[in-house]
Amino acid sequence: MRVLVTGCNGQVGRCLVNQLANKAELLAVDRSELDITHRDAVFDLVNEFQPDYVINAAAHTAVDKAEQEPDLCYAVNRDGPQFLAQAAKSIDATILHISTDYVFSGNKSKPYEEGDETGPLGVYGDTKLAGELALAKANEKHIVLRTAWVFGEHGNNFVKTMLRVGASRDSLTIVGDQVGGPTYAGDIAAALIRIIEVIEQKGEVDWGVYHFSGAPHVSWYEFAREIFKGAEAANVLTAPQLTPIPTSAYPTPAKRPINSRLDCSKISANFGIAPSNWTRALKNIQEYKS
């Protein structure tokens, strides 16, 4: 089994490389090795390596910065996935792609299901939704995995930010009215690999969009509280005093969904994959220190 992983130095990409090391013939590339916005380069690499599966973990994920550079964001988040899907289609390969809760408005009162109406609030969500649609049109053998609130030992994320900022402050204000499911990057990688294993066993699966994120659902404030509780127990730092604030008190260039909760029952039914256990992933809190 041959697997091509793009975005190999990102949060999920690194986990994919580690977990696939002994399971597949792996080609892992970052932006310096493959610019997915260049169609010819994508086709050349795919035709040379002949993967059975392409996992796209490359993305423009700087949500606020995306508002200032929409053209680049569209190139990476829409055009890149489209080129990868087209190249995979040309050799009858399957493509797996990571997407986001930002394709939704966040106005729903319940967790979002895969078939719910989309409604991005900004450029990042727009480009990720456009990428989903372009990829699906280019290659019917596709899996789009929407996730949310990703964190891990590598890269920039909320856990690492909290530990860095919390080490130098006695008190912090954290947004308390946005709710979602923190998702460990290693669990996203494991979910993608499990999907590939099922495809290998069955040959055909229910292609399309799946939701995968963490449980239980919490606010950013509640997530921060758990982070500092674990950090203090591990003698990483003394927890600062936390105060919840509304989104309106923390304005950002890009709007965030108030409700980022994703219903993960479909992926459980089709692939036997349970939601990410983010509280367990925080047990090794020392590994998240920058």
Side-chain angles (χ1 to χ4, degrees):
M1 182 175 69
R2 289 187 169 191
V3 181
L4 169 64
V5 173
T6 62
C8 69
N9 286 326
Q11 292 192 84
V12 179
R14 287 200 182 191
C15 296
L16 282 166
V17 170
N18 291 336
Q19 294 181 31
L20 282 168
N22 298 317
K23 294 184 177 181
E25 185 177 344
L26 178 65
L27 175 60
V29 294
D30 62 13
R31 185 170 54 186
S32 67
E33 296 162 314
L34 176 66
D35 185 341
I36 65 171
T37 69
H38 290 178
R39 186 180 187 278
D40 289 347
V42 170
F43 270 78
D44 287 346
L45 184 67
V46 169
N47 286 324
E48 179 183 351
F49 183 60
Q50 292 285 311
D52 301 296
Y53 300 91
V54 176
I55 305 179
N56 182 37
H60 184 304
T61 58
V63 177
D64 290 323
K65 198 173 181 182
E67 298 295 314
Q68 282 74 52
E69 46 190 30
D71 290 345
L72 175 61
C73 205
Y74 272 103
V76 177
N77 291 345
R78 178 195 60 194
D79 300 344
Q82 179 182 33
F83 298 154
L84 287 165
Q86 290 171 339
K89 169 73 172 179
S90 72
I91 61 167
D92 195 33
T94 297
I95 184 163
L96 298 93
H97 172 70
I98 301 169
S99 193
T100 175
D101 59 294
Y102 276 69
V103 301
F104 297 113
S105 67
N107 294 328
K108 187 180 178 181
S109 60
K110 295 180 180 180
Y112 278 95
E113 299 176 11
E114 286 83 352
D116 284 338
E117 181 180 0
T118 53
L121 299 177
V123 171
Y124 171 67
D126 275 334
T127 62
K128 291 297 287 184
L129 179 58
E132 289 185 12
L133 298 174
L135 177 143
K137 185 177 180 180
N139 189 341
E140 65 274 10
K141 291 172 61 175
H142 70 274
I143 297 290
V144 171
L145 195 70
R146 291 179 183 150
T147 190
W149 294 21
V150 181
F151 72 95
E153 297 88 346
H154 310 291
N156 298 317
N157 56 68
F158 185 74
V159 175
K160 297 182 81 170
T161 298
M162 287 299 98
L163 294 177
R164 185 180 68 251
V165 176
S168 60
R169 299 187 190 177
D170 295 327
S171 63
L172 292 173
T173 57
I174 309 292
V175 172
D177 59 355
Q178 294 176 23
V179 181
T183 313
Y184 178 53
D187 290 340
I188 298 172
L192 290 165
I193 293 169
R194 174 57 184 163
I195 290 171
I196 288 176
E197 290 172 346
V198 173
I199 296 171
E200 284 288 290
Q201 293 166 6
K202 296 184 176 181
E204 287 288 330
V205 296
D206 184 9
W207 307 111
V209 178
Y210 289 85
H211 288 173
F212 177 75
S213 62
H217 294 137
V218 288
S219 68
W220 287 115
Y221 164 76
E222 291 168 327
F223 188 25
R225 191 173 60 191
E226 290 303 309
I227 292 167
F228 287 120
K229 184 187 297 183
E232 195 164 57
N235 295 316
V236 171
L237 51 74
T238 299
Q241 181 179 345
L242 301 181
T243 303
I245 58 172
T247 298
S248 58
Y250 188 70
T252 55
K255 291 183 178 180
R256 268 70 172 168
I258 291 294
N259 174 23
S260 288
R261 295 175 297 163
L262 299 177
D263 185 314
C264 300
S265 56
K266 180 182 174 184
I267 198 170
S268 175
N270 285 33
F271 295 102
I273 296 172
S276 174
N277 187 335
W278 61 266
T279 55
R280 181 179 61 198
L282 287 179
K283 297 297 183 183
N284 63 331
I285 197 74
Q286 298 95 332
E287 300 299 319
Y288 297 88
K289 290 193 70 179
S290 299

